[in-house]
């Protein structure tokens, strides 16, 4: 601000003492000290003199600066989209060179016209104030800008201190009370403060817009600390609120409007009291005209201008309620700052830092993807849907775990008054503002599959997915000791989506989401290995309770948040590396200081081969299984998993490409509601599955979010993961048929029953007499055929049908040489070249017929 150096009039000790005594006496006579009306005048004057003596002895000669509370801003990843601001006082501190000369002039004109001449205390102003107090009903304080700065600094120190509430209240009262004590303290500190600033900056001001003298420093500090409206502090915030511009851009009429507010911030606030504010603005304009700052023509022109025509209100996006596109993500970020140790160490207080630290917070949010998520969720289900159900979507960057989108189809409303509103973030854990979580159902199956592959098993290995009852002592949970489920009831799980179906490969069980198949898998491996795999991949319960090692967890019965389930997918999409989800990229203080932020330390949860194997199976879900109607556009490869909790209470879709991960949850957020015969968004559904609404919502989001991105493929699955390594073929000869089937399946092979029985008098009838292959090794999934022992020979052994070719063995012959050697000495009746009758060979003179007649198979039929 260009100005000519002016002579400084210093107040001597004698002048100051005289003025002080005159003020005390005249204040008593004029009635300013109300208590004096009830006491003898001499007593009041004596008390005032004694009090002032103590202050002069105890108060310091300088005033330590205080760090002003400033608003913090939260932005998206680009730094271009402001999500919300946080403050206890809406303030942005700026240097003097970024403050328009007009607001500097207007403030000096109306608040302290002798500012450039006095030395912190204006003797003429004090006398003038006393005269007006005695001769009129007005009561000006006679305070200089320096004194007002002192008052504000002491007030801010009191407000921001870490003292107890009682001590803080006492300090605030001391800084604001109308008393001789406060006035004397302000005078003393004002004199000492300016003297110290002159020593540091000099007492000669130049045309340089930057601070280069003590007076300019006072003006800079005052313009940043003073209140300019309802919770609006400092001229930069005032310029933004009232005119939508920076303080450096203010013109004369705008400057007059702002300068007039500080005398009574609530009364002169132009947004709340425009008529009163216009009158006050015109007083400032007249003062500026009187002091030669504007011309008479300018004064008349500007005073006639309606204040509404000059305003361009820009209310700050205060709190997450104002973060229109991402209020729940905003809430999540604020909770990280308030709770994470990185913001609460070495004397830092995260909440205070957020509300007063003037932070610039750059987050991981992709603003475009967030908007797409909002749109797709609201297309699928309106926030006010009569069902009471809700939806949430979380998207992550696979290689970093950065949160790109966090949306739900509910309005963020702390008051809770708006229909379809909440402040509960359905995407996160309870301790971060979320719920207790929701049953993930089949979206947990990829964790079981990963544990299965970690155990050395393969995708083509065969399991028996028939529904069966599992006894409590048949499970393995090594971390719980032997027989940990003793006393529990048996468990006979069923299927909520897909079809049950006998023997099948693990790959098929995954594609079609067969519950009974995954229970069979979990039964073969250690339940504690499933727990370890889950935790390594980022799984934890949303309610904060420890993971529960029980058989039913194989079907996703432990509540989790959508963010956690997205982490499971992120681990798979990142070739087995788990990266804890992050929301903050950087935090910069008002002074440029870079704060540490929580870092995502990626860890190896699965080998790349195993991750590729799970992904291969989840690709099959999208092409052959429950997700085949949810494939992405343009042939883009994707991997995914539907999820339907018991009774369709919660419906999920979790899926990913190499570039993007997303999870969609749907359900009633307050209590489990059966998803049958329910109307969603105007459409009635007999029953809901993960592929009904959640899946298509995921597809629409992914197609739009990935538009223009290069199409990438997943890593190839290895033969060992797909087919496994050769395994020992179990010897099932002598077992019952049920025992043989179980042994073959548990070894990873598929069983088949031979079409004929084998005459094996050394084995119990109905047990296994032979198998093929009979031993050695084979790849998991290979077919092991078994043959059942019979105690009697087939009919043709005794009576050869006349129309049968003797050179061709019957289809149910078990031997390797034809004809049987026995026929050389004991041929059957009707054997070519033999005319004599032939008995059945058992000495009873008749045919047993135990295998059925005429080659029709064993036991009376084909097997």
């Amino acid at each position: 601000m260009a100005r000519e150096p002016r002579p400084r009039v210093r107040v001597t000790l004698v002048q100051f003492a005289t003025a002080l005594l005159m003020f005390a006496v005249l204040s008593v006579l004029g009635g300013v000290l109300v208590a004096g009306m009830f006491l003898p005048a001499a007593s009041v004057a004596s008390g005032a003199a004694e009090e002032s003596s103590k202050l002069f002895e105890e108060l310091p000669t300088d005033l330590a600066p205080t760090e002003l509370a400033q608003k913090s801003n939260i932005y998206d990843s680009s730094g271009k989209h402001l999500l919300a601001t946080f403050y206890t006082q809406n303030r942005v501190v700026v240097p003097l060179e970024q403050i328009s000369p007009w607001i500097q002039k207007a403030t000096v004109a109306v608040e302290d016209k002798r500012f450039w001449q006095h030395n912190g205390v204006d003797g003429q102003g004090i006398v003038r104030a006393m005269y007006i107090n005695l001769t009129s009903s007005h009561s000006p304080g006679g305070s200089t800008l320096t004194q007002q700065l002192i008052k504000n600094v002491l007030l801010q120190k009191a407000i921001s201190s870490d003292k107890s509430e009682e001590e803080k209240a006492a300090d605030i009262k001391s800084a604001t009370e109308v008393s001789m004590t406060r006035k004397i303290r302000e005078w003393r500190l004002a004199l000492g403060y300016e003297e110290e600033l002159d020593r540091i900056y000099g007492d000669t001001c130049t045309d340089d817009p930057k601070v280069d003298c003590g007076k300019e420093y006072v003006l800079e500090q005052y313009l940043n600390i003073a209140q300019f409206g309802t919770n609006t502090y400092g001229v930069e915030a005032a310029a933004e609120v009232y005119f939508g511009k920076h303080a450096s851009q203010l013109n004369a009429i705008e400057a007059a409007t702002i300068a007039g507010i500080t005398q009574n911030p609530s009364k002169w606030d132009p947004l709340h009291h425009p008529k009163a504010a216009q009158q006050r603005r015109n007083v400032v304009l007249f003062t500026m005209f009187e002091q030669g700052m504007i011309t008479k023509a300018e004064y008349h022109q500007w005073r006639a201008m309606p204040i509404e025509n000059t305003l361009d209100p820009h209310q700050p996006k205060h709190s997450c309620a104002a973060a229109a596109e991402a209020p729940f993500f905003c809430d999540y970020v604020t909770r990280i700052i308030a709770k994470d140790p990185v913001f609460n160490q070495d004397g830092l207080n995260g909440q205070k830092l957020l509300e007063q630290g003037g932070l610039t917070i750059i987050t991981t949010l992709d603003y475009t993807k967030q908007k797409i998520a909002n749109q797709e969720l609201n297309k699928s289900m309106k926030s006010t849907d009569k069902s009471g159900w809700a939806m949430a979507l979380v998207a992550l960057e696979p290689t970093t775990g950065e949160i790109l989108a966090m949306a739900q189809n509910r309005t963020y409303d702390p008051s809770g008054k708006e229909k379809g509103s909440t402040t509960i973030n359905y995407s996160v854990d309870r301790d971060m503002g979320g719920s207790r979580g929701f049953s993930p159902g089949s979206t947990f199956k990829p964790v079981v599959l990963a544990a299965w592959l970690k155990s050395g098993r393969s995708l083509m290995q065969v399991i028996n997915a028939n529904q069966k009852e599992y006894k409590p002592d048949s499970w393995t949970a090594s971390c719980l000791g032997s027989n940990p489920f003793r006393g529990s009831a048996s468990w006979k799980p069923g299927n909520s989506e897909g079809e049950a179906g006998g023997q099948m490969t693990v790959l098929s069980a995954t594609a079609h989401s067969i519950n009974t198949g995954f229970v069979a898998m979990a039964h073969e491996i250690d339940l504690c290995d499933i727990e370890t795999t889950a935790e390594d991949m980022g799984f934890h319960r949303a309610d904060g309770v420890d993971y529960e090692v029980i058989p039913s967890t194989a079907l996703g019965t432990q509540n989790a948040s959508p963010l956690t389930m997205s982490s499971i997918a992120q681990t798979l999409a990142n070739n087995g590396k788990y990266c804890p989800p992050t929301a903050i990229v950087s935090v910069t203080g008002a002074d440029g200081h870079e704060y540490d932020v929580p870092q995502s330390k990626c860890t190896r949860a699965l080998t790349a081969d195993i991750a590729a194997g799970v992904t291969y199976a989840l690709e099959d879900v999208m092409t052959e299984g429950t997700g085949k109607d949810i494939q992405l556009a343009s042939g883009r490869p994707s991997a995914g998993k539907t999820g339907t909790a018991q009774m369709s209470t919660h419906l999920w879709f979790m899926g990913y490409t190499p570039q993007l991960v997303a999870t969609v949850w749907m359900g009633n957020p307050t209590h489990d509601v059966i998803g049958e015969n329910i109307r969603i968004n105007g459409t009635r559904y007999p029953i809901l599955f993960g592929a009904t609404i959640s899946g298509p919502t995921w597809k629409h989001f992914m197609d739009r979010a990935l538009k223009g991105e290069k199409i990438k493929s997943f890593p190839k699955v290895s033969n060992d993961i797909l087919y496994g390594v050769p395994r020992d073929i179990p010897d099932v000869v002598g077992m019952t048929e049920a025992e043989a089937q179980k042994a073959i399946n548990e070894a990873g092979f598929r069983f088949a029953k031979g079409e004929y029985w084998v005459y094996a008098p050394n084995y119990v009838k109905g047990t296994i007499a032979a198998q093929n292959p009979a031993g050695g090794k084979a790849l998991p999934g290979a077919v092991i055929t078994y043959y059942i022992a019979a105690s009697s020979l087939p009919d043709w052994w005794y009576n050869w049908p006349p129309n049968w070719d003797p050179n061709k063995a019957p289809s149910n012959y078990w031997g390797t040489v034809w004809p049987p050697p026995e026929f050389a000495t004991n041929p059957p009746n009707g054997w070519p070249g033999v005319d004599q009758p032939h008995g059945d060979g058992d000495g009873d003179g008749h045919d047993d017929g135990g295998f059925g007649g005429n080659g029709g198979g064993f036991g009376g039929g084909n097997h």
Side-chain angles (χ1 to χ4, degrees), residues 62 151 219 334 356 407 568 572 593 612 709-710 776:
D62 65 340
K151 174 185 175 181
L219 183 59
T334 64
Q356 301 181 21
I568 299 296
L572 298 170
H593 172 71
E709 292 282 345
K710 182 179 179 181

Side-chain angles (χ1 to χ4, degrees), residues 369 395-404 566-580 600 602 655-662 702 706 714:
K369 289 181 175 60
L396 302 179
E397 203 289 323
T399 61
T400 62
E402 292 183 348
I403 301 172
L404 304 179
S566 277
S567 288
I568 299 296
Q570 175 274 318
T571 302
L572 298 170
N574 194 29
N575 300 317
K577 282 188 176 181
Y578 164 60
C579 301
S600 181
C602 301
Y656 54 96
T657 69
Q659 302 109 308
L660 184 62
V661 168
M702 294 290 282
L706 289 168
F714 293 109

Side-chain angles (χ1 to χ4, degrees), residues 315-530:
Q315 289 292 355
K317 290 186 172 183
H318 185 230
S319 81
C320 290
E325 293 293 345
F328 296 98
F329 174 77
C330 169
D331 182 80
Y332 181 66
V333 170
T334 64
R335 290 176 187 272
I336 292 174
I337 294 173
K339 293 185 175 185
D340 196 282
V342 76
F343 298 113
N344 293 275
Q345 60 184 346
D346 300 328
L348 292 178
N349 180 292
Q351 189 65 38
K352 186 175 180 180
L353 196 63
L354 176 66
E355 295 177 344
Q356 301 181 21
L359 306 179
T360 296
I361 302 163
I362 304 298
T363 69
T364 60
L365 189 80
D366 184 311
Y367 201 71
T368 299
K369 289 181 175 60
Q370 178 69 25
K371 291 179 69 175
I372 293 171
N374 290 335
Q375 292 164 6
E376 293 303 332
L377 287 179
N378 283 287
K379 284 180 186 177
S380 297
M381 185 189 299
K382 302 298 181 185
S383 63
T384 55
D385 194 88
K386 294 180 179 179
S387 66
W389 284 40
M391 297 185 74
L393 184 154
V394 176
L396 302 179
E397 203 289 323
T399 61
T400 62
E402 292 183 348
I403 301 172
L404 304 179
M406 180 180 283
Q408 62 192 55
N409 71 324
R410 292 289 176 92
T411 303
Y412 185 90
D413 180 18
S415 71
K417 294 180 180 179
E418 185 175 346
K419 186 178 180 181
S421 69
T422 185
T423 55
I424 298 174
N425 186 350
Y426 304 140
S427 295
V428 302
D429 297 342
R430 182 168 58 179
D431 68 342
M432 294 301 287
S435 69
R436 293 179 299 171
F438 315 106
S439 172
S442 295
T443 50
F444 188 79
K445 287 175 181 174
V447 175
V448 180
L449 179 57
W452 171 269
L453 296 178
K454 282 173 64 179
S455 72
R457 293 167 170 83
S458 68
L459 294 174
M460 296 304 294
Q461 190 163 328
V462 173
I463 51 169
N464 189 333
N466 284 326
Q467 188 175 20
K468 60 173 290 186
E469 186 173 289
Y470 292 87
K471 296 185 181 301
D473 60 356
S474 67
W475 295 90
T476 300
S478 59
C479 57
L480 302 182
S482 61
N483 199 7
F485 309 115
R486 182 187 294 108
S488 300
S490 295
W491 184 38
K492 190 176 183 180
N495 291 294
S496 61
E497 58 180 323
E499 298 178 356
Q503 297 180 92
M504 62 177 60
T505 64
V506 168
L507 186 65
S508 180
T510 304
H512 299 284
S513 198
I514 307 302
N515 284 354
T516 50
F518 271 81
V519 173
M521 291 163 60
H523 190 257
E524 284 193 35
I525 61 178
D526 194 325
L527 294 177
C528 296
D529 290 342
I530 297 177

Side-chain angles (χ1 to χ4, degrees), residues 748-763:
F749 302 107
R750 191 189 302 267
F751 63 79
K753 186 176 182 179
E755 293 182 354
Y756 55 87
W757 293 4
V758 173
Y759 176 60
N762 294 329
Y763 292 95

Side-chain angles (χ1 to χ4, degrees), residues 20-28 33 36 39-56 179-185 187:
L20 176 61
L21 183 58
M22 289 178 62
F23 185 85
V25 174
L26 292 174
S27 292
V28 174
L33 298 177
L39 297 171
S43 174
V44 174
S46 173
E50 182 180 350
E51 189 175 45
S52 65
S53 175
K54 291 180 181 179
L55 284 168
F56 268 85
S179 68
M180 175 64 70
T181 301
R182 181 176 69 81
K183 186 60 64 177
I184 294 172
R185 177 169 51 180
W187 285 341

